[in-house]
Amino acid sequence: MKKKEIILILTIIATLMFLSLISSVSAASSNLGNIDVESNSAIVVNNDNAPEFIKAPDNYAQSEKYSKTKGFEKTKNIINTKKGKNYKFITKYFLPVSWKNGGKNGKTEYWYNCQSIVIKGKYMYILTSAGYDSNKGFIIQYNTQILDKYLKGKKLTNLRILGYQMREGKNLTGEGKRLKKAIKTGPIFNTGHGQSLSYNHETKSLWMWRDDNYNSNIQKLIEINMKTFKPKKMYKFRVKYKNNLLKAFHNLAFDKNGNFYTDKTMKSKSNPNGASYIFIGKIINNKVQMKLLTIIKKRPGTYSQSISINFKNNRFYLVSDGVFYSMPLHKLVAGTLSKNDFYYTIFSTKREFEGLSFDSKGRAYLLVLRGTEILISNNI
């Protein structure tokens, strides 16, 4: 075989492999066109009894012993309530900071910039940024039954140690191998910011917004394959509210009937901190319907980091750094919310809140950074 023929064949093979890689993480796309938000029945809640707007710190805080231990923390952190409905969040898992599959020849993955969390049954799903590109990320599945078996007492730091051992290509001990079985990672794909990962009980799958362009008015709603953690299908559409096309949404939550919820911050001269606009929607037969439920005049803080639903107490949560607002879901949907329906909680911390999810018992799991960890609440 001639040299030119060999080069041609190798080029074709490389091209096919590249195309296969792209298709493996691409989702079938469906364009749903433009939709008008129904807003005639939306109510405005003047929650003037809310606490002061919480500004994000200039520099987020680290956990107390993160630097001192070089990341290998053994002592649980506690985040207490400063004002409002009382919670105490205590460290449940110190998550790995970095990882590498394939031993010393693998590629180092950075797992510290986690953006969202979902608790479903025995599994915990974390979406983390890929590190080298803010629009790329991947999903990590943790089996919490295995984690709870091997992360007790002083062994709480063992997930961080496992991440270090994987990154350095070290041989794992028996316990390390058993702990590694709790972890499954998906491929890197275009996630956008990635703070919207949510579980849809109707489709029994994960969903998220692909908000890879903050200035775009094209909404991209992605369904995730639960076995491969690859994008399965993407719905594209534009949302028009009062003759204006809304820019990309960033948060997402589903109720048990498959309705999705998202929020948008809108500022004005009279309200420079902005109000929270909460929408409900559903995709039916490749058509999307959306409705504005309510406008909450006072919102929690600088960044809208997450929205979530606790099915145990049937409350809807708005999350910002160091603060929660919650409200009854049924009143939110019915349009009967009043300012007295809200619970407000301000926390004694300057750490960055990234996500909130709830287990079947109604306990809250809080994702925070620096170092990345999951804390669990003492009540619902």
Side-chain angles (χ1 to χ4, degrees):
M1 187 177 289
K2 295 180 179 179
K3 185 177 180 180
K4 288 184 178 179
E5 292 175 333
I6 294 173
I7 293 173
L8 178 61
I9 291 171
L10 290 174
T11 302
I12 292 172
I13 292 172
T15 302
L16 289 173
M17 289 176 67
F18 176 72
L19 291 174
S20 174
L21 179 63
I22 293 175
S23 63
S24 69
V25 293
S26 298
S29 182
S30 181
N31 196 329
L32 307 185
N34 294 347
I35 65 163
D36 290 309
V37 171
E38 195 276 296
S39 60
N40 294 331
S41 60
I43 64 166
V44 178
V45 181
N46 184 12
N47 53 331
D48 54 10
N49 60 338
E52 277 189 38
F53 182 81
I54 304 299
K55 292 183 179 180
D58 293 333
N59 295 294
Y60 287 107
Q62 292 185 347
S63 65
E64 184 181 354
K65 296 184 179 178
Y66 181 70
S67 294
K68 292 178 182 178
T69 62
K70 296 183 179 180
F72 300 112
E73 298 167 272
K74 295 181 180 180
T75 305
K76 293 181 179 182
N77 294 308
I78 298 175
I79 297 178
N80 284 310
T81 294
K82 180 179 179 181
K83 183 179 180 181
K85 179 175 171 58
N86 190 48
Y87 290 95
K88 177 182 283 188
F89 278 92
I90 303 172
T91 302
K92 181 71 172 173
Y93 308 116
F94 289 126
L95 298 185
V97 174
S98 56
W99 198 265
K100 184 188 286 184
N101 286 305
K104 293 182 178 179
N105 296 321
K107 182 179 179 181
T108 299
E109 298 173 352
Y110 297 99
W111 287 22
Y112 58 83
N113 193 20
C114 300
Q115 297 296 326
S116 49
I117 176 174
V118 172
I119 301 293
K120 177 56 184 171
K122 67 180 181 179
Y123 294 112
M124 176 175 69
Y125 301 91
I126 302 291
L127 189 143
T128 186
S129 169
Y132 63 88
D133 185 334
S134 60
N135 277 326
K136 304 288 185 182
F138 53 95
I139 295 169
I140 308 166
Q141 179 197 71
Y142 293 91
N143 184 321
T144 60
Q145 290 182 350
I146 297 176
L147 296 186
D148 293 344
K149 184 176 180 179
Y150 296 110
L151 300 177
K152 295 178 180 179
K154 294 182 179 180
K155 294 183 178 181
L156 186 63
T157 193
N158 280 5
L159 258 185
R160 294 260 176 92
I161 292 173
L162 176 61
Y164 165 77
Q165 291 173 334
M166 292 294 293
R167 188 189 72 200
E168 298 299 315
K170 295 184 177 295
N171 293 326
L172 301 181
T173 63
E175 188 166 299
K177 291 178 181 179
R178 289 189 287 270
L179 188 58
K180 184 174 177 287
K181 289 181 180 180
I183 303 170
K184 178 182 177 182
T185 61
I188 294 173
F189 63 98
N190 193 343
T191 58
H193 188 61
Q195 68 181 49
S196 59
L197 193 68
S198 183
Y199 186 80
N200 184 342
H201 291 78
E202 186 175 65
T203 61
K204 295 179 173 58
S205 57
L206 295 166
W207 290 69
M208 63 180 293
W209 296 112
R210 197 182 85 178
D211 52 347
D212 49 358
N213 184 344
Y214 271 48
N215 292 315
S216 174
N217 56 31
I218 300 175
Q219 311 295 339
K220 302 167 187 175
L221 188 58
I222 299 176
E223 183 179 8
I224 305 295
N225 185 303
M226 292 296 286
K227 291 183 179 180
T228 63
F229 307 133
K230 300 174 185 177
K232 179 180 178 181
K233 189 165 186 178
M234 178 166 65
Y235 297 94
K236 293 183 179 181
F237 52 95
R238 290 182 174 87
V239 177
K240 185 183 288 186
Y241 170 65
K242 291 188 175 180
N243 295 319
N244 293 312
L245 290 174
L246 299 181
K247 292 183 180 180
F249 293 113
H250 306 301
N251 294 320
L252 186 67
F254 284 86
D255 64 24
K256 289 191 174 180
N257 297 316
N259 299 303
F260 69 82
Y261 299 79
T262 190
D263 65 326
K264 179 68 68 176
T265 297
M266 297 193 193
K267 300 179 181 180
S268 64
K269 289 183 180 179
S270 61
N271 189 0
N273 289 330
S276 288
Y277 286 59
I278 302 177
F279 301 84
I280 186 173
K282 192 161 188 176
I283 296 175
I284 304 174
N285 298 325
N286 270 359
K287 292 183 179 180
V288 62
Q289 299 172 343
M290 284 188 71
K291 177 182 177 181
L292 176 64
L293 292 174
T294 190
I295 300 169
I296 300 170
K297 278 196 170 183
K298 287 193 174 183
R299 65 189 189 92
T302 303
Y303 303 114
S304 179
Q305 295 281 26
S306 175
I307 60 174
S308 189
I309 297 172
N310 186 344
F311 295 110
K312 193 69 176 178
N313 63 13
N314 201 36
R315 293 185 73 86
F316 179 92
Y317 290 73
L318 293 173
V319 179
S320 188
D321 297 308
V323 56
F324 297 165
Y325 285 9
S326 80
M327 64 208 78
L329 180 63
H330 69 284
K331 288 191 175 185
L332 172 65
V333 175
T336 58
L337 269 180
S338 74
K339 66 181 183 181
N340 296 322
D341 292 318
F342 288 76
Y343 292 160
Y344 304 105
T345 302
I346 311 298
F347 295 94
S348 298
T349 184
K350 290 186 177 180
R351 294 182 69 183
E352 185 174 8
F353 288 11
E354 286 290 359
L356 184 71
S357 188
F358 299 89
D359 64 17
S360 59
K361 296 180 180 179
R363 293 173 300 188
Y365 289 68
L366 177 65
L367 169 63
V368 301
L369 300 186
R370 298 170 187 83
T372 310
E373 64 177 293
I374 308 298
L375 301 98
I376 188 170
S377 64
N378 63 331
N379 60 4
I380 66 173

